[in-house]
Amino acid sequence: MNQALYSDVLKILKEDRILHNEPMCLHTTFRVGGPADTVLVPEREEEAVALLRLFSDSGEPFFLLGNGSNLLVSDRGYRGTVILIDHNLSGIEKEGDRLIVQAGTLLSKAAAFALQEGLAGMEFASGIPGTLGGGVTMNAGAYGGEMKDIVESVRLFDCENGKIQTVVNTDMHFAYRHSLVKEGKYVVLSAVLKLHPDEPSAIRARMDELKEKRVSKQPLEYPSAGSTFKRPEGYFAGKLIEDAGLRGFSIGDAMVSEKHAGFVINKGNATAEEIIRLIRHIREEVHAMSGVWLEPEVCMLGEGLDL
Ligand SMILES: Cc1cc2nc3c(=O)[nH]c(=O)nc-3n(C[C@H](O)[C@H](O)[C@H](O)COP(=O)(O)OP(=O)(O)OC[C@H]3O[C@@H](n4cnc5c(N)ncnc54)[C@H](O)[C@@H]3O)c2cc1C
């Protein structure tokens, strides 16, 4: 970042909210990734918006980071600025059957809040380790539920025109692991979730059941970014990978999970290079066997991560 831009950042953020050469392995659930030049940690939405305006206008490269649970960052890191919207920008308000949730709120926290308030509908999201912002962006889903089922509207910052707009569900272009946010330069600031009243004991029972399924089926004991690939139409990625004989296959410390072949895990000190080589290998092998090209669900940041 040039000196003039840095001076403007200092007008918005206190110096201790600016991290230099920050290892991205500390901000990703894969526990992988070299340093980003700068990470900015706003404490209030107004600060985040001011930073987004500044960077959008400057044309300098920036990346919006949530909880890093769907992200592979290059070992060489990122030559640009990361704006963090995670626990630093979280909060939940209740209005009747609706929750107004700030983008950095963990989905697990919002689900726990909903349970406490006797509101049902978020059970599917209680075990997804992302933020509300990341969840809306990805239209995260599990066990038959997706964010699109509970999002009533989303407040977005539009990096093209610097305006904040409220977009209703039907205009969010929600589809499988896709939303309007992925189509342009938008940042999720908050969302209104429409839930429905139910007995807390019934909500808790459903959450516990889904948690049990996750713990028994997914390699939660290892760092990962969840399902590595999207589900190809008519197939299951994990089954295709298993059928290609790749269960347990590893390159360095990057390994196809023995427990769930749809997950690439970091079994110790994996590098992004090992993970991307493994991803390429899986794609080639699965294509050779089935004719299907698996598409990564995991987002990539930095150099050298091309397929
Ligand atoms: C163990 C494990 C289990 C998982 N299970 C599931 C599952 O069941 N279902 C599922 O769908 N996913 C699952 N995931 C993947 C991941 O948790 C989700 O995709 C989640 O929604 C990502 O949120 P995040 O805040 O971590 O986003 P990040 O990984 O930080 O970012 C992902 C993308 O969203 C963008 N983004 C993040 N926040 C914002 C924002 N406020 N505005 C605009 N763009 C933003 C980023 O730029 C990036 O492109 C799992 C991951 C792990 C590690």
Side-chain angles (χ1 to χ4, degrees):
M1 174 181 350
N2 64 47
Q3 197 52 46
L5 186 59
Y6 190 67
S7 304
D8 287 339
V9 169
L10 280 173
K11 289 178 195 150
I12 300 168
L13 284 189
K14 285 185 247 151
E15 212 160 356
D16 64 351
R17 313 297 291 183
I18 305 172
L19 311 175
H20 301 281
N21 268 325
E22 175 72 358
M24 293 301 285
C25 56
L26 301 179
H27 297 275
T28 59
T29 54
F30 248 141
R31 298 283 169 252
V32 162
D37 288 345
T38 315
V39 175
L40 304 178
V41 189
E43 284 175 289
R44 291 176 296 115
E45 190 189 282
E46 303 85 78
E47 290 177 349
V49 167
L51 291 171
L52 290 166
R53 286 219 169 92
L54 193 61
F55 278 84
S56 306
D57 291 347
S58 74
E60 290 274 326
F62 71 96
F63 180 79
L64 206 296
L65 177 67
N67 200 40
S69 65
N70 201 26
L71 190 63
L72 177 62
V73 182
S74 162
D75 299 318
R76 283 171 262 164
Y78 175 58
R79 302 288 72 79
T81 299
V82 170
I83 299 178
L84 185 70
I85 299 193
D86 194 15
H87 52 274
N88 50 313
L89 282 178
S90 72
I92 310 170
E93 280 169 46
K94 178 175 179 279
E95 274 183 18
D97 297 350
R98 293 173 171 82
L99 298 185
I100 301 143
V101 185
Q102 274 201 283
T105 313
L106 286 176
L107 290 170
S108 55
K109 282 217 169 138
F113 183 92
L115 162 66
Q116 183 190 309
E117 297 295 327
L119 289 174
M122 278 209 80
E123 294 88 318
F124 78 89
S126 58
I128 300 178
T131 60
L132 182 276
V136 168
T137 302
M138 301 300 300
N139 185 24
Y143 305 112
E146 283 183 316
M147 291 306 289
K148 76 166 169 46
D149 304 331
I150 54 170
V151 167
E152 187 173 75
S153 64
V154 183
R155 271 176 68 250
L156 292 176
F157 178 81
D158 183 339
C159 300
E160 296 291 336
N161 62 19
K163 291 194 176 138
I164 295 173
Q165 58 192 94
T166 299
V167 180
V168 295
N169 178 304
T170 44
D171 292 335
M172 278 299 295
H173 299 182
F174 283 127
Y176 174 67
R177 300 299 173 266
H178 179 85
S179 74
L180 172 70
V181 186
K182 299 196 89 178
E183 292 172 17
K185 284 222 133 201
Y186 297 103
V187 173
V188 178
L189 298 174
S190 64
V192 178
L193 308 182
K194 172 84 170 74
L195 305 174
H196 57 275
D198 198 358
E199 280 299 316
S201 58
I203 301 172
R204 183 183 293 281
R206 287 193 292 273
M207 277 187 186
D208 287 348
E209 190 192 328
L210 296 184
K211 187 176 175 191
E212 176 57 36
K213 278 192 189 166
R214 254 182 210 279
V215 171
S216 65
K217 299 246 162 65
Q218 299 184 357
L220 302 182
E221 56 281 19
Y222 288 101
S224 80
S227 299
T228 314
F229 299 99
K230 292 182 187 167
R231 191 177 58 235
E233 221 167 305
Y235 299 91
F236 288 102
K239 175 84 170 60
L240 288 172
I241 296 167
E242 208 179 309
D243 291 350
L246 293 172
R247 185 189 279 270
F249 181 84
S250 49
I251 294 183
D253 266 355
M255 179 169 128
V256 176
S257 164
E258 305 256 14
K259 198 166 174 185
H260 188 319
F263 280 56
V264 167
I265 57 167
N266 173 359
K267 62 177 177 171
N269 295 307
T271 60
E273 175 65 22
E274 289 166 353
I275 292 172
I276 196 69
R277 277 172 50 211
L278 182 55
I279 287 175
R280 288 182 195 129
H281 182 74
I282 295 169
R283 293 185 83 235
E284 293 290 345
E285 292 293 302
V286 166
H287 182 254
M289 183 210 59
S290 64
V292 176
W293 281 115
L294 291 174
E295 289 307 320
E297 180 174 321
V298 174
C299 306
M300 315 282 179
L301 177 65
E303 290 170 13
L305 300 179
D306 300 329
L307 295 178

